[in-house]
Amino acid sequence: MSIKIENLSYIYDQGMPFETIAVDNISFDIENGEFVGIIGHTGSGKSTLIQTINGLYKPSKGKIFINDIDLTDKKVKKSDIRKKVGLVFQYPEYQLFEETVYKDIAFGPKNLNLKADEIDIRVKESMKLVGLDFEKLNEVSPFELSGGQKRRVAIAGVLAMNPEVLILDEPTAGLDPKARDEILKQIEILNKKKKVTVLLVSHSMEEVANLVDRLIVLDKGKKVLDGDVRSVFKEYELLTDIGLGVPQVTELINKLNLRGCNIKETVLNVEEAKNAILKQLRGDSND
Amino acid sequence: MIKTDKLNFEYDDGSFKLENIDINIDDGEFVVIIGHNGSGKSTLAKLFNGIYLPNSGKIYVNKMDTSDEELIWEIRKSAGMIFQNPDNQIVATIVEDDVAFGPENLAIERSEIRNRVDKSLKTVGMFDYINKPTTSLSGGQKQRVAIAGILAMQPKCIILDEPTAMLDPVGRKDVMRTIHKLNKEEKITIVHITHFMNEAVDADRIIVMDQGKKIMEGTPKEIFSRVKDVRNLGLDVPQVTLLAHMLKDEGINIDDDIIKIDEMVEKLCQLK
C-alpha cells in the first residue's frame, strides 16, 4: 500500500489567538513495503502528521493519497481507510479494556462483523506475530501482564485488523532494553515477512539506525531531511542542532575526525565503528 | 543516608520478592540502580520511602527506621520521591501552586513558603514559568517542576524512579543536568533508578538488580567493563564501552573500562 502526501499542513486552532502550525507544507511518497522512520524532537509535528495519515485529523491544507484514494475527498469513507492503516498510539497499553487478552485483541475484528472462526484465526495469528504465547495468555486479564507484554497485546489488537500499513508512535517508550529489542524485532519481521508498510515514529536515532530503510526528519513542522539512513546520519551537525542525538559511535567518529583522523564512512553501529577505526589504526601503521 | 540490613520483602500475592538486600548509601552520594523491568528496582525505591514495609530486615533513612509509624512523615520529608509519569505528579493548575503544595501541608509560614518556592524553581531552571499553567509544560519541564516541589520540602535525599523514561532526548538531558546540579551544589543524596546506561556513567556508584537480588555493585567503570555479564542480564552498556571491548579483542592496546566518548577519543588519538 503506498502513501502520497502533498503539501500537507495542519494548523491547530486556526484563526484563533493560539493558532499553531504543527505540520508545515510537507510532501513525501512512501512505497508499498517500505520501512520508514519518522524522527523529530517533541513538538516537531510527527504525531500530528501520522494522525492525518490515518484520517483522524483533517488536513488544513494539502492532500493525502492512500493507494491513489484521496483521503481529503469528502466522499471517501474514513472507516475504510482505518481498516487498512493501523495506528498504534503512544503508550497503547493504556487503551486495553477487556477482561481477557483474547477479547481485547478480538474487539476490532468483531466490529468488522467477522465470523467467530475468522476472528479466532486472527487473534491467534496476531498473538504469534507479536510473540505472545496463545495457550498461556489468551484467558489472562491484560492488566496482570508486564508493561512490555501489555504493549504487545495492544499492538496485536491493531494487527488483528490486518492492516496494510502499520504506523507506530514511539512503540518502545518506557520499555527496558530487552523488551525494546524484542518489540523492534517483531516489527521488523512484520515488515520483512508480511510485507506490511511500516512507519515508525521515534526520537531515538540509535533505535532506528539499524532498523529502517529510510528516515524522514521533522523539525518545527517542516521536513528537513529525507533519505536512506546513511545519508541522513551524515548530517551530524544539523541533527544535533535540532536536538536529536546521534548514536554514540557516530558522535565518536565525528570527534575523531575533528582531531585529525580521516574516517570517511558514516557509521551506524558499533560493528561498523570497529571496522572503520581498525582500518584507520592499521592503515596508518602501514604507511 | 539510606541503609538496608538483610532486607526481605514479598508482595501479598507472592508474585515477587526481594531477597536479603544489604545496601548502604552515604550522605551526598549519587547512586544509580539499574536492572530490567521486574528486577525489583522500583519495589526497592518504594521501600526506601516507607510506601512498602519490609517483611523482615530493616531500612534506615537518615538513621530513622521506616517501620516506625511515628517517623514516617519525617522520613518522607527527608527522602522525597519522583516517579516515571510526569502527569501523575502534578497536583495544581499553576506551577507555583504545585511547588507550594508540599510546604503548605507542613503548615509553614507564608513568607517562608514564598522563599522556598522561588528558590526551588530557580534551582531547577523553571522560575520563568512560575505563573504558567502546568498543562502547558512539556514532560521534561513537568518533571523539573515535580523536583522543585520535592526541593521545597528541603529533603536530604531524592529517590527518582525512572524519571526520564517518558521524556524525549532534550527533556532527558535537562532532568539529568538538574539532578547532577542538586547533588553537586546542594549536596543532596541522589538515588536514580534508570535503564538508560548513558545516565549511569556519571554516578559515584552503580547497583545492579536482577530477580529481586542485588547482583553487582561498583563504580561505573567497574560495572560496565563487565560487558558480557551486563548484557547477559538484558541490559545495555554504552556503545563506546562495547567498542573498546571489540577493539581489544582485535588486539588493539586499549583499556576495556572506557565509558565516555571523550575518553575514547583521547585513547584512540594516543594510539595513532
Short mmCIF file of all heavy atoms in Angstrom, two decimals, chain A residues 261 263 274-287, chain B residues 247 252-254 267-272:
data_model
loop_
_atom_site.label_atom_id
_atom_site.label_comp_id
_atom_site.label_asym_id
_atom_site.label_seq_id
_atom_site.Cartn_x
_atom_site.Cartn_y
_atom_site.Cartn_z
N CYS A 261 41.71 12.58 12.45
CA CYS A 261 41.51 11.31 11.75
C CYS A 261 40.84 11.61 10.42
O CYS A 261 40.33 12.70 10.20
CB CYS A 261 40.61 10.38 12.56
SG CYS A 261 41.44 9.61 13.93
N ILE A 263 38.22 9.55 8.74
CA ILE A 263 37.31 8.42 8.54
C ILE A 263 36.15 8.92 7.69
O ILE A 263 35.39 9.79 8.12
CB ILE A 263 36.82 7.87 9.89
CG1 ILE A 263 38.02 7.42 10.73
CG2 ILE A 263 35.84 6.72 9.68
CD1 ILE A 263 37.70 7.04 12.15
N LYS A 274 33.94 -0.19 14.72
CA LYS A 274 35.14 -1.00 14.96
C LYS A 274 35.95 -1.14 13.67
O LYS A 274 37.15 -0.89 13.65
CB LYS A 274 34.72 -2.39 15.47
CG LYS A 274 35.91 -3.30 15.77
CD LYS A 274 35.50 -4.74 15.98
CE LYS A 274 35.37 -5.44 14.65
NZ LYS A 274 35.07 -6.88 14.78
N ASN A 275 35.25 -1.51 12.61
CA ASN A 275 35.95 -1.71 11.34
C ASN A 275 36.61 -0.43 10.83
O ASN A 275 37.74 -0.46 10.36
CB ASN A 275 34.98 -2.28 10.29
CG ASN A 275 34.55 -3.69 10.65
OD1 ASN A 275 35.28 -4.41 11.34
ND2 ASN A 275 33.36 -4.07 10.24
N ALA A 276 35.89 0.68 10.96
CA ALA A 276 36.43 1.96 10.49
C ALA A 276 37.67 2.34 11.29
O ALA A 276 38.68 2.80 10.74
CB ALA A 276 35.37 3.04 10.59
N ILE A 277 37.62 2.13 12.60
CA ILE A 277 38.75 2.51 13.46
C ILE A 277 39.95 1.58 13.21
O ILE A 277 41.10 2.02 13.13
CB ILE A 277 38.34 2.53 14.94
CG1 ILE A 277 37.39 3.71 15.18
CG2 ILE A 277 39.55 2.62 15.87
CD1 ILE A 277 36.68 3.68 16.51
N LEU A 278 39.65 0.30 13.05
CA LEU A 278 40.74 -0.66 12.77
C LEU A 278 41.46 -0.29 11.48
O LEU A 278 42.69 -0.30 11.42
CB LEU A 278 40.17 -2.08 12.65
CG LEU A 278 39.84 -2.78 13.96
CD1 LEU A 278 39.23 -4.15 13.68
CD2 LEU A 278 41.07 -2.93 14.85
N LYS A 279 40.67 0.07 10.49
CA LYS A 279 41.24 0.44 9.20
C LYS A 279 42.16 1.65 9.38
O LYS A 279 43.28 1.69 8.87
CB LYS A 279 40.10 0.79 8.24
CG LYS A 279 40.42 0.55 6.78
CD LYS A 279 39.14 0.63 5.96
CE LYS A 279 39.24 1.71 4.92
NZ LYS A 279 37.94 2.04 4.33
N GLN A 280 41.70 2.60 10.17
CA GLN A 280 42.45 3.81 10.42
C GLN A 280 43.76 3.49 11.15
O GLN A 280 44.84 3.91 10.74
CB GLN A 280 41.59 4.76 11.28
CG GLN A 280 42.14 6.15 11.42
CD GLN A 280 41.85 6.97 10.17
OE1 GLN A 280 41.05 6.59 9.33
NE2 GLN A 280 42.53 8.09 10.03
N LEU A 281 43.64 2.71 12.22
CA LEU A 281 44.83 2.40 13.04
C LEU A 281 45.83 1.56 12.24
O LEU A 281 47.02 1.84 12.22
CB LEU A 281 44.42 1.64 14.30
CG LEU A 281 43.65 2.43 15.36
CD1 LEU A 281 43.16 1.50 16.47
CD2 LEU A 281 44.51 3.54 15.95
N ARG A 282 45.33 0.52 11.60
CA ARG A 282 46.22 -0.39 10.88
C ARG A 282 46.76 0.25 9.62
O ARG A 282 47.91 0.05 9.27
CB ARG A 282 45.50 -1.69 10.57
CG ARG A 282 45.32 -2.49 11.86
CD ARG A 282 44.56 -3.77 11.65
NE ARG A 282 44.46 -4.46 12.93
CZ ARG A 282 43.51 -5.33 13.24
NH1 ARG A 282 42.58 -5.63 12.36
NH2 ARG A 282 43.50 -5.91 14.42
N GLY A 283 45.89 1.02 8.95
CA GLY A 283 46.31 1.71 7.74
C GLY A 283 47.48 2.63 8.03
O GLY A 283 48.49 2.61 7.34
N ASP A 284 47.37 3.40 9.13
CA ASP A 284 48.41 4.36 9.48
C ASP A 284 49.75 3.67 9.75
O ASP A 284 50.80 4.15 9.35
CB ASP A 284 48.01 5.16 10.71
CG ASP A 284 47.05 6.27 10.32
OD1 ASP A 284 46.68 6.34 9.13
OD2 ASP A 284 46.68 7.06 11.18
N SER A 285 49.69 2.51 10.46
CA SER A 285 50.95 1.87 10.83
C SER A 285 51.64 1.26 9.61
O SER A 285 52.82 0.98 9.64
CB SER A 285 50.69 0.80 11.91
OG SER A 285 49.75 -0.13 11.42
N ASN A 286 50.86 1.06 8.53
CA ASN A 286 51.47 0.51 7.32
C ASN A 286 52.20 1.56 6.49
O ASN A 286 52.94 1.23 5.59
CB ASN A 286 50.40 -0.15 6.43
CG ASN A 286 49.90 -1.43 7.08
OD1 ASN A 286 50.56 -1.97 7.96
ND2 ASN A 286 48.73 -1.89 6.65
N ASP A 287 51.92 2.82 6.79
CA ASP A 287 52.47 3.89 5.95
C ASP A 287 53.98 3.91 5.95
O ASP A 287 54.61 3.66 6.97
CB ASP A 287 51.96 5.26 6.42
CG ASP A 287 50.53 5.49 5.93
OD1 ASP A 287 50.08 4.70 5.06
OD2 ASP A 287 49.88 6.41 6.42
N LEU B 247 37.53 -3.74 20.08
CA LEU B 247 38.86 -3.37 19.58
C LEU B 247 39.94 -4.16 20.31
O LEU B 247 40.92 -4.61 19.73
CB LEU B 247 39.09 -1.87 19.76
CG LEU B 247 38.29 -0.96 18.82
CD1 LEU B 247 38.47 0.50 19.21
CD2 LEU B 247 38.71 -1.16 17.36
N ILE B 252 43.98 -4.62 19.68
CA ILE B 252 44.35 -3.22 19.88
C ILE B 252 44.62 -2.98 21.36
O ILE B 252 43.88 -3.47 22.22
CB ILE B 252 43.22 -2.27 19.39
CG1 ILE B 252 42.88 -2.53 17.92
CG2 ILE B 252 43.57 -0.81 19.64
CD1 ILE B 252 43.96 -2.16 16.93
N ASN B 253 45.66 -2.22 21.65
CA ASN B 253 46.02 -1.96 23.04
C ASN B 253 45.17 -0.82 23.62
O ASN B 253 45.55 0.33 23.56
CB ASN B 253 47.52 -1.61 23.08
CG ASN B 253 47.96 -1.20 24.47
OD1 ASN B 253 47.34 -1.58 25.46
ND2 ASN B 253 49.03 -0.41 24.54
N ILE B 254 44.00 -1.19 24.14
CA ILE B 254 43.10 -0.16 24.65
C ILE B 254 42.44 -0.65 25.94
O ILE B 254 42.20 -1.85 26.10
CB ILE B 254 42.04 0.19 23.56
CG1 ILE B 254 41.30 1.47 23.92
CG2 ILE B 254 41.07 -0.95 23.32
CD1 ILE B 254 40.60 2.12 22.75
N LYS B 267 42.03 8.25 23.98
CA LYS B 267 42.77 6.98 23.91
C LYS B 267 43.14 6.65 22.47
O LYS B 267 44.27 6.25 22.18
CB LYS B 267 41.93 5.84 24.51
CG LYS B 267 41.84 5.90 26.02
CD LYS B 267 43.02 5.22 26.68
CE LYS B 267 43.36 5.78 28.05
NZ LYS B 267 42.30 5.84 29.02
N LEU B 268 42.17 6.82 21.57
CA LEU B 268 42.43 6.46 20.17
C LEU B 268 43.45 7.41 19.54
O LEU B 268 44.28 6.99 18.74
CB LEU B 268 41.12 6.47 19.37
CG LEU B 268 40.19 5.28 19.66
CD1 LEU B 268 38.86 5.46 18.95
CD2 LEU B 268 40.83 3.97 19.22
N CYS B 269 43.40 8.70 19.95
CA CYS B 269 44.35 9.65 19.39
C CYS B 269 45.78 9.34 19.86
O CYS B 269 46.74 9.54 19.13
CB CYS B 269 43.98 11.08 19.74
SG CYS B 269 42.55 11.63 18.81
N GLN B 270 45.91 8.82 21.09
CA GLN B 270 47.22 8.43 21.59
C GLN B 270 47.78 7.25 20.80
O GLN B 270 48.98 7.11 20.62
CB GLN B 270 47.14 8.03 23.06
CG GLN B 270 47.04 9.23 24.00
CD GLN B 270 46.62 8.80 25.38
OE1 GLN B 270 46.76 7.65 25.76
NE2 GLN B 270 46.11 9.75 26.16
N LEU B 271 46.88 6.38 20.36
CA LEU B 271 47.31 5.18 19.64
C LEU B 271 47.83 5.48 18.25
O LEU B 271 48.62 4.73 17.70
CB LEU B 271 46.14 4.19 19.51
CG LEU B 271 45.76 3.39 20.76
CD1 LEU B 271 44.51 2.58 20.48
CD2 LEU B 271 46.89 2.47 21.19
N LYS B 272 47.33 6.58 17.72
CA LYS B 272 47.63 6.85 16.30
C LYS B 272 49.11 7.11 16.05
O LYS B 272 49.78 7.74 16.83
CB LYS B 272 46.82 8.05 15.83
CG LYS B 272 45.46 7.63 15.34
CD LYS B 272 44.85 8.72 14.47
CE LYS B 272 45.64 8.90 13.21
NZ LYS B 272 45.17 10.01 12.39
#
